[in-house]
Amino acid sequence: MHLEILTPQKTIFNGEIKLIKVPGSQGSFEILKNHAPIISTLEKGEVKIVTTTDEVIQYTIDAGVVQAVDNKITVLAESLVTVNS
C-alpha cells in the first residue's frame, strides 16, 4: 500500500506501508492492504504506521481526514508531531 501524509506546510510521509492506525472520529481503526474504500474525519490522537520493513513510526495528529482507495491512502492533517521515527 502507498501512504502519503500531508500538512498545509509540507509532505510528512510518502512511501510503502503494511498498515496504518488512525484516530477516526467514531474511534480508532486500522487500514490494511485491500481495505474497502473509505473516507473518514480524524480527531486528536495517535497515528501509527508500520512500513514494509517493519519500522514503526508514530505521530500525534490534531485533526484531519483520511482516504483509502485501491491501496492508496492519503492523510490530510491540520498539524502533526513526530512521536518517534
Side-chain angles (χ1 to χ4, degrees), residues 69-82:
V69 178
D70 296 329
N71 291 318
K72 180 169 180 358
I73 304 161
T74 305
V75 175
L76 305 175
E78 289 180 18
S79 67
L80 210 67
V81 176
T82 304

Side-chain angles (χ1 to χ4, degrees), residues 18-63:
K18 287 184 178 178
L19 72 87
I20 182 171
K21 183 176 181 180
V22 293
S25 56
Q26 300 294 313
S28 292
F29 63 94
E30 290 184 354
I31 299 174
L32 301 165
K33 188 174 181 179
N34 298 323
H35 194 283
I38 187 171
I39 296 176
S40 177
T41 55
L42 302 176
E43 293 186 344
K44 186 172 185 169
E46 193 173 282
V47 174
K48 178 181 176 184
I49 299 164
V50 178
T51 68
T52 55
T53 59
D54 292 323
E55 177 184 5
V56 176
I57 302 170
Q58 295 177 308
Y59 299 101
T60 299
I61 189 172
D62 282 338

